[in-house]
């Protein structure tokens, strides 16, 4: 065609590639963030390993297995965390589904109610709770409910702490579940399952929950972290879970208390890593 017209084809210039963005700032941000988290952790680890008298020693970590109160306080905190996770999820998830399906106009009201504990200081919350328990015990003494209010304060497993922790973690659980529910069409899934004859428990546990695994895992680990580290409510109510035991031990054996804190962080990180790995494999499948 070019020979017939006597014109030579004009080569079009390739579009210039945009210069690659430098990754210096990205690496600098990661470096600063890493130092911010790792330097205090490394200093704490060195404090537990080094002593001016004995030098480097792993004795504080060896004492953990035989330290008085370690196993009982850790077991109590883990039990409280498991009970809190179960109660708050059984309360929050059905309520959020009911509001989304049957009363969407109540979503702002529910959001305010669920996030309200963020604006209440823990010291005020525990002061009101202790006053209610004290007055309730006196008022219910002549009634059969007296045994119930005494049972919820059992030091072996204080149910009152579970109820208090449910209130404290409710804002974080609500945000996690709300973020998960926003990523799925709940109404369509529920209507399809109901039209196929599924019961409401089947819809909740076999249709909705599998689509909220990441949100449920996030809510569970936020609850676990809060319960393991909560001190104010448990201390003022007179109980000794893991966080209170750490503060009690720190007065006499500082290295042991820091070693326990590092061990608790390591356990939580390992659990988070395991869950993220499991959910990552499920998504790829």
């Amino acid at each position: 065609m070019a020979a017939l017209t006597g014109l030579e084809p004009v080569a079009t210039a390739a579009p210039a590639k945009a210069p690659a963005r430098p990754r210096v700032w990205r690496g600098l941000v990661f470096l600063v963030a890493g130092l911010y988290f790792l330097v205090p952790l490394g200093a704490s680890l060195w404090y537990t390993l080094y002593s001016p008298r004995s030098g480097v020693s792993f004795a504080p970590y060896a004492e953990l297995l035989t330290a008085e109160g370690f196993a009982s306080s850790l077991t109590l905190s883990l039990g409280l965390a498991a009970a809190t996770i179960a109660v708050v999820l059984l309360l929050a998830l059905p309520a959020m589904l009911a509001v989304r399906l049957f009363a969407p106009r109540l979503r702002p009201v529910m959001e305010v109610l669920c996030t309200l504990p963020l604006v209440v200081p823990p010291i005020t919350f525990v002061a009101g709770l202790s006053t209610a328990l004290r007055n309730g015990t006196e008022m219910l003494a002549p009634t059969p409910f007296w045994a119930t209010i005494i049972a919820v304060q059992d030091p072996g497993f204080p149910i009152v702490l579970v109820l208090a922790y449910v209130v404290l973690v409710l804002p974080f659980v609500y945000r996690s579940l709300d973020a998960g529910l926003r990523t799925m069409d709940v109404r369509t899934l529920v209507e399809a399952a109901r039209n196929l004859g599924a019961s409401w428990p089947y819809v909740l546990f076999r249709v909705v929950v599998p689509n909220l695994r990441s949100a449920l895992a996030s809510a569970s680990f936020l609850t676990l972290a809060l319960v393991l580290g909560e001190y104010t409510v448990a201390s003022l109510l007179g109980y000794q879970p893991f966080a209170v035991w750490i503060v009690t031990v720190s007065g006499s054996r500082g290295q042991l208390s820091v070693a326990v804190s590092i061990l608790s962080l390591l356990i939580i990180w390992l659990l988070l890593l395991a869950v993220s790995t499991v959910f990552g494999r499920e998504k790829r499948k």
Side-chain angles (χ1 to χ4, degrees), residues 165-245:
Y165 291 156
V166 166
V167 177
L168 293 178
V169 304
L170 187 58
F172 309 103
V173 172
Y174 174 81
R175 288 301 184 189
S176 299
L177 296 181
D178 183 66
L181 289 172
R182 290 177 183 272
T183 61
M184 54 184 291
D185 191 352
V186 181
R187 185 177 297 276
T188 301
L189 288 175
V190 172
E191 290 180 353
R194 291 290 292 169
N195 290 334
L196 293 174
S199 61
W200 281 109
Y202 186 93
V203 171
L204 178 62
F205 293 105
R206 299 298 300 273
V207 177
V208 177
V209 169
N211 289 281
L212 290 177
R213 288 175 180 173
S214 297
L216 291 172
S218 175
S220 299
F221 276 102
L222 286 174
T223 303
L224 176 64
L226 187 143
V227 173
L228 288 180
E230 202 284 321
Y231 173 80
T232 304
V233 176
S235 177
L236 293 180
L237 290 181
Y239 301 106
Q240 195 178 46
F242 195 51
V244 179
W245 180 82

Side-chain angles (χ1 to χ4, degrees), residues 66-82:
T66 59
E68 183 180 0
F70 169 71
S72 59
S73 62
L74 181 58
T75 303
L76 177 60
S77 291
L78 292 177
L80 292 173

Side-chain angles (χ1 to χ4, degrees), residues 55-165:
V56 178
S57 173
F58 291 90
Y61 294 94
E63 292 180 14
L64 288 179
L65 299 178
T66 59
E68 183 180 0
F70 169 71
S72 59
S73 62
L74 181 58
T75 303
L76 177 60
S77 291
L78 292 177
L80 292 173
T84 304
I85 291 170
V87 172
V88 73
L89 291 180
L90 288 176
L91 289 176
L93 184 56
M96 294 177 67
L97 288 175
V99 169
R100 283 180 173 270
L101 294 175
F102 307 113
R105 294 184 179 181
L106 294 179
R107 286 179 61 184
V109 178
M110 186 176 185
E111 182 175 2
V112 171
L113 292 177
C114 290
T115 56
L116 191 61
L118 290 175
V119 301
V120 179
I123 188 66
T124 305
F125 175 68
V126 71
L129 183 60
S130 59
T131 302
L133 290 174
R134 182 174 59 253
N135 295 337
T137 303
E138 296 175 357
M139 295 176 60
L140 297 176
T143 67
F145 294 101
W146 180 81
T148 302
I149 198 170
I150 294 298
V152 300
Q153 303 178 64
D154 182 14
F157 190 81
I159 300 176
V160 63
L161 282 184
V162 176
L163 302 178
Y165 291 156

Side-chain angles (χ1 to χ4, degrees), residues 2-66:
L4 296 176
T5 56
L7 298 176
E8 296 183 358
V10 179
T12 58
K17 294 184 179 179
R21 295 182 179 181
R23 299 183 179 180
V24 178
W25 290 107
R26 185 185 303 176
L28 182 62
V29 169
F30 280 113
L31 177 62
V32 173
L35 292 176
Y36 180 81
F37 287 103
L38 294 179
V39 169
L41 186 61
S44 301
L45 181 62
W46 179 250
Y47 172 74
T48 61
L49 296 177
Y50 177 76
S51 175
R53 296 181 179 179
S54 58
V56 178
S57 173
F58 291 90
Y61 294 94
E63 292 180 14
L64 288 179
L65 299 178
T66 59

